[in-house]
Amino acid sequence: MPPLRTRRSLLGFAAVLIALATGPASAEKPLRIGATPGPVGQTLAFAADLARKQGQNVEIVEFTDWVTPNEAVASGDIDANLFQHVPYLQNAIRARGYKLVAVEGAMVLPVGLFSKTVTSLDTVPDGSSVAIANDPVNAARGLRLLETAKLITLKPGVGDEASVADIVANPKRLRIIELEAAQLPRAMDDVTLAQVSFTYLIAAGGDPKTSLITDGAGDRRYTLSFVARPDNRDDPRLTAFIRSFRSAPVRDYIEQTYKGFLEPVW
């Protein structure tokens, strides 16, 4: 990805300010937290409103992809983000050299296989096209989901490093197409199966109950975590906001709004 030109160009191109919570009595610099659309951004906005009532000054900034939020934290354009699990973060650090750390867990957000043309994994036709995420960790997650569905077999032990090259059996001759995660809900119109994160599915108006198979539920390895720079992880503003986020009202909001499809981890 090309280097960031200016703070203004980054935020003007890739982010939309979706919630501004300002405590009228507080003159401190706003805490800026990046998020993705849908459940994560909505939950952060709810928590930001609680923070406002406690006198905190918080801005939630929404990004439409899974690359720019880490670029924005690394460059100092925002203070933290919440959109990724630790395996994704670790891969991003290896690939791009970020100095970023996971600060605190927030919620588990499942991924599922969805289809507009079949209602059962048993009826997936030979030669079907299947869309999965194109980032390495979530591509591996999609491939493992296909393996759990007994549609493919992967080389033993590949784990989060799995790629299409590690498919050792593909009896239905599925055609694997790798796309940006944000494009996968729209890809459902053109493929038989698509691996879709619930965050993008719900943002696109989809129904998680229509999934053919899911992963992530109860698997704390896929916990989405607040991420910050090492020098900023103990920022009192961030600590106070995470305390507001990991509270009973936010937990109730998640459980009542998303009906068990998102799992708070506190």
Side-chain angles (χ1 to χ4, degrees):
M1 182 170 180
L4 304 179
R5 294 180 181 178
T6 66
R7 296 185 177 185
R8 178 172 295 178
S9 64
L10 168 66
L11 296 177
F13 177 74
V16 178
L17 188 61
I18 61 168
L20 175 60
T22 54
S26 174
E28 69 176 358
K29 181 180 177 182
L31 176 71
R32 310 194 80 196
I33 301 181
T36 47
V40 177
Q42 291 162 6
T43 303
L44 278 170
F46 178 84
D49 186 57
L50 291 181
R52 179 189 61 80
K53 294 172 182 175
Q54 297 168 5
Q56 293 179 259
N57 193 356
V58 181
E59 293 178 359
I60 307 304
V61 181
E62 187 175 281
F63 294 87
T64 58
D65 66 273
W66 285 355
V67 175
T68 318
N70 280 335
E71 294 278 0
V73 174
S75 69
D77 284 287
I78 60 176
D79 299 293
N81 63 46
L82 176 61
F83 78 97
Q84 64 197 312
H85 47 65
V86 170
Y88 181 94
L89 173 64
Q90 291 171 337
N91 182 75
I93 290 170
R94 286 193 300 270
R96 297 175 179 267
Y98 296 132
K99 296 189 184 326
L100 300 174
V101 293
V103 179
E104 189 68 83
M107 66 185 83
V108 177
L109 197 63
V111 162
L113 290 180
F114 294 85
S115 177
K116 291 188 175 181
T117 58
V118 299
T119 57
S120 167
L121 294 168
D122 295 333
T123 61
V124 174
D126 290 359
S128 293
S129 54
V130 180
I132 65 172
N134 67 355
D135 67 274
V137 171
N138 286 300
R141 188 175 178 182
L143 291 169
R144 292 201 309 275
L145 199 55
L146 289 169
E147 184 174 49
T148 301
K150 303 187 184 307
L151 293 172
I152 64 171
T153 302
L154 295 169
K155 189 183 303 179
V158 288
D160 287 334
E161 303 298 320
S163 71
V164 172
D166 295 310
I167 298 174
V168 296
N170 184 3
K172 288 184 176 287
R173 302 184 303 282
L174 302 178
R175 294 187 299 111
I176 310 296
I177 303 167
E178 296 180 80
L179 301 171
E180 288 189 13
Q183 304 303 316
L184 290 168
R186 288 193 289 273
M188 290 170 60
D189 291 329
D190 303 311
V191 300
T192 304
L193 292 175
Q195 167 207 0
V196 185
S197 168
F198 281 17
T199 186
Y200 286 124
L201 180 82
I202 294 172
D207 183 356
K209 293 196 294 290
T210 63
S211 63
L212 301 177
I213 188 173
T214 63
D215 77 353
D219 189 345
R220 294 300 176 90
R221 206 166 63 94
Y222 291 129
T223 298
L224 304 189
S225 295
F226 287 94
V227 169
R229 298 179 305 279
D231 64 323
N232 203 43
R233 66 178 303 165
D234 296 320
D235 183 331
R237 299 172 305 153
L238 180 59
T239 300
F241 179 72
I242 291 175
R243 186 166 56 246
S244 294
F245 185 95
R246 290 169 60 92
S247 65
V250 175
R251 182 184 183 90
D252 291 344
Y253 171 84
I254 292 172
E255 292 175 345
Q256 292 169 14
T257 304
Y258 302 110
K259 310 300 183 185
F261 293 118
L262 275 68
E263 178 190 352
V265 297
W266 69 94

